[in-house]
Amino acid sequence: MTMMTSLPKVTDVSQAILWGLPSVAVLGLGRVGTVAAACLAGAGHRVHAVDPDPARVTTLNAGRSPVDEAGLYPLIEGSLRGNRLVASTSVADAVANSDLSLISLDLDASPDGTPDLEPLMALADAIGLGLRLRDEYHVVVMRTCVPPGTTLKMLIPRIEAVSGLSLGTDFGAAFVPAFQRPGFGVVDFNAPPKTVIGAIDSRSRNLVMRVFALAERTPTLTSIAVAEMIKHVEVVWHIPGTDDADHWMIMDGPVAADRLPERAGPGILPVLHPPEVDVTTAGYRRVQVADEDLPLLAAALAANQELEALRVAQLAMAWRPRRVGILGLPLNLGATACDSPVLTLIAELREAGVDVAVHTGDGGAIVPYAALATTLHHRSTAQRTLAFTLPRMVRPTAEEVVDASDVIVIAADCDAFRFAAAQEFEKPVIEALSLDVTGPSVPTALSRAAA
């Protein structure tokens, strides 16, 4: 789902003061970080730039740019004169005194061609120390191109471990990829070709928008996983070379037709998820890998389903319902159900103040509290609370859900669900079979009921 919003553009420092712009820590003074620090300080933000290289720090504090980019000098000079820009080597100090931090590291490649994430993990430790010194909410924003899944599966757990804080409760997270051409960094930062904001929850999203929606009045709002994927595809697309096959992600070989999703989520390429596939990408040999060895494809498929869940929530809320009924949440699958995009749909509706009634269609299986709590640990606050609130939403029959709801969502391929929804013909029905993680199979008990 792509949600759009519009905000007035800040054009001078007097407006910035009235708006009370967030203070920003820019972590990394490479090309992306230096441009961000200069442009944000020039727009009125108070910016604390950090780099482990003392030479870069000294250069910036002296009013010069550590990178060669047109248009940086007047921004840096004016910001230093206005006391809006300072540079140091202390990550903890910058994070502790800022509302939002931008991770803009230049990662080197490891011997196998993948990004070397050790500097990122070391930075996560330093961010964790800084968060321990800060009492107010802080949002950690990734801008570095990393493999999809890195932010929530590696960066955030490391920050939580060091800080002792919890994502979504004590601090927020987002991924805002940079789309900047070498030599045109300032131009592209102030007038980007697109602005993608992937955030863990609305609180993080709102704070990030106060920084990046000033340059782009209609940003694309999505999840962290999708934002990571968009940046990854963008990088692969633009890698120079003589043979496109050496740099594009190419998927060929055996393809099981019944494994392909019905549709791809908006904003990214169609996704294949075959059991065997030849994958070619920059820096890799052509090798045949198994299904479970394709984290990029798995992340894309999960991101597609999450976007679809958000789109369905938007469609349902268009009718301004007091309660939405959802038919199909396969809790009998245990931990697999905890990754169901239906949970994203429920959380989105609840966060918007809409009541939800659910029929699982699993014959009254017990809600897996422990699995839910563990799997949803790094999700938004609304999703984490489902581990405790979901049982109160569950209804024993599909008919009870239909009777009590204003809008019906069919999230599993089941004739009994369609039959129940058809009995209330005046109520809107949304058939969202792309949210079904079980495939076309129908639970036995429901098959008998339909018969």
Side-chain angles (χ1 to χ4, degrees), residues 15 216 286 288 399 411 421 439:
Q15 286 179 281
E216 171 60 70
R286 177 179 292 267
Q288 191 130 49
E399 288 74 16

Side-chain angles (χ1 to χ4, degrees), residues 30-384:
R31 189 176 301 276
V32 172
T34 300
V35 169
C39 290
L40 290 175
H45 293 270
R46 182 173 59 83
V47 177
H48 189 154
V50 178
D51 197 275
D53 184 355
R56 288 184 173 184
V57 170
T58 300
T59 298
L60 188 64
N61 284 331
R64 302 188 304 274
S65 172
V67 299
D68 185 18
E69 279 285 343
L72 285 179
Y73 175 75
L75 291 173
I76 293 173
E77 183 185 42
S79 298
L80 288 172
R81 190 168 54 247
N83 296 318
R84 297 187 305 275
L85 177 62
V86 66
S88 76
T89 58
S90 175
V91 173
D93 183 54
V95 171
N97 294 283
S98 301
D99 300 313
L100 180 144
S101 57
L102 305 181
I103 299 177
S104 303
L105 291 184
D106 295 329
L107 298 179
D108 295 325
S110 59
D112 65 355
T114 60
D116 179 8
L117 299 179
E118 283 304 315
L120 180 62
M121 295 300 100
L123 179 60
D125 293 341
I127 292 173
L129 293 175
L131 290 177
R132 288 170 58 180
L133 302 174
R134 182 174 175 80
D135 296 327
E136 299 178 9
Y137 198 76
H138 182 95
V139 178
V140 179
V141 181
M142 273 286 288
R143 303 208 79 202
T144 301
C145 181
V146 291
T150 300
T151 303
L152 291 180
K153 293 181 179 179
M154 297 183 65
L155 178 73
I156 296 304
R158 190 75 167 254
I159 293 174
E160 288 183 316
V162 174
S163 67
L165 304 177
S166 297
L167 177 67
T169 302
D170 305 308
F171 70 98
F175 190 96
V176 182
F179 301 105
Q180 296 170 202
R181 298 165 294 170
F184 296 88
V186 173
V187 173
D188 289 343
F189 187 94
N190 291 323
K194 54 182 170 289
T195 297
V196 178
I197 299 176
I200 189 66
D201 54 21
S202 59
R203 188 178 184 184
S204 299
R205 183 188 307 125
N206 291 339
L207 184 58
V208 172
M209 285 174 60
R210 292 174 60 193
V211 175
F212 289 99
L214 302 177
E216 171 60 70
R217 298 184 64 180
T218 56
T220 297
L221 307 181
T222 185
S223 66
I224 289 178
V226 172
E228 288 175 323
M229 175 64 70
I230 291 174
K231 178 59 178 178
H232 189 95
V233 171
E234 179 91 5
V235 170
V236 173
W237 183 280
H238 286 99
I239 290 177
T242 57
D243 185 357
D244 287 342
D246 290 336
H247 303 294
W248 284 39
M249 174 173 293
I250 298 175
M251 288 164 284
D252 53 21
V255 175
D258 60 346
R259 298 291 305 281
L260 304 184
E262 292 183 1
R263 71 190 75 174
I268 67 175
L269 300 175
V271 174
L272 305 182
H273 196 54
E276 291 183 332
V277 68
D278 284 340
V279 177
T280 301
T281 183
Y284 292 96
R285 294 180 296 109
R286 177 179 292 267
V287 293
Q288 191 130 49
V289 295
D291 188 358
E292 57 270 20
D293 294 327
L294 297 175
L296 183 62
L297 298 183
L301 185 59
N304 280 352
Q305 289 181 317
E306 185 171 358
L307 276 180
E308 186 71 2
L310 295 175
R311 188 184 72 87
V312 172
Q314 188 179 49
L315 288 174
M317 288 187 288
W319 277 284
R320 301 184 181 276
R322 289 175 297 178
R323 176 177 291 154
V324 171
I326 299 175
L327 303 178
L329 176 60
L331 296 179
N332 59 320
L333 295 180
T336 302
C338 299
D339 289 325
S340 171
V342 177
L343 295 177
T344 301
L345 169 61
I346 296 173
E348 189 75 7
L349 292 170
R350 294 295 299 126
E351 194 170 20
V354 178
D355 288 336
V356 176
V358 181
H359 177 61
T360 63
D362 57 10
I366 298 175
V367 177
Y369 299 103
L372 276 172
T374 300
T375 305
L376 299 178
H377 175 62
H378 290 128
R379 301 293 185 89
S380 68
T381 301
Q383 291 188 47
R384 290 201 306 273

